[in-house]
Amino acid sequence: MSRGRFVFVVCLPALAACVFSACTINAPTAELEPTFNHQTAAFPLTGAHEGQRCQACHSEGIYRGRATVCVACHQSDYNGTTQPAHQAAGFPTDCTACHTTS
């Protein structure tokens, strides 16, 4: 094993916060992520979003400038919905008009 930095991550879904603590140990190199609290951000995590791992939305390592509209991540859900068929019926892509994250 090579000497590298290892990151311990503790996520608290109820608080929508992750605490990152890095230390140097004998371990393969690990990706380091900044400490971030979604509750104080422009996109607070609520409902079903609270239990998601950071990588579910940030798999490309992009943390700033991500779209915050539902359809940016849920376009395939919108397109594939058949009861009723949202796309065929011309429903708007503003999901919050009818849906919540709970």
Side-chain angles (χ1 to χ4, degrees):
M1 280 191 207
S2 64
R3 187 164 180 81
R5 291 185 54 83
F6 188 78
V7 178
F8 295 94
V9 180
V10 177
C11 289
L12 307 168
L15 299 177
C18 292
V19 177
F20 298 89
S21 176
C23 65
T24 302
I25 61 172
N26 288 328
T29 57
E31 182 179 335
L32 298 177
E33 298 181 39
T35 300
F36 188 78
N37 181 349
H38 261 283
Q39 286 304 96
T40 60
F43 190 77
L45 300 180
T46 60
H49 294 125
E50 286 183 290
Q52 298 297 311
R53 297 181 60 124
C54 301
Q55 292 302 311
C57 299
H58 301 287
S59 61
E60 297 122 9
I62 299 170
Y63 295 91
R64 291 180 182 261
R66 299 288 304 194
T68 59
V69 294
C70 304
V71 74
C73 295
H74 298 287
Q75 181 73 55
S76 62
D77 298 320
Y78 173 88
N79 294 345
T81 301
T82 59
Q83 296 296 324
H86 289 34
Q87 189 174 30
F91 286 5
T93 57
D94 176 14
C95 305
T96 61
C98 301
H99 301 277
T100 67
T101 58
S102 298

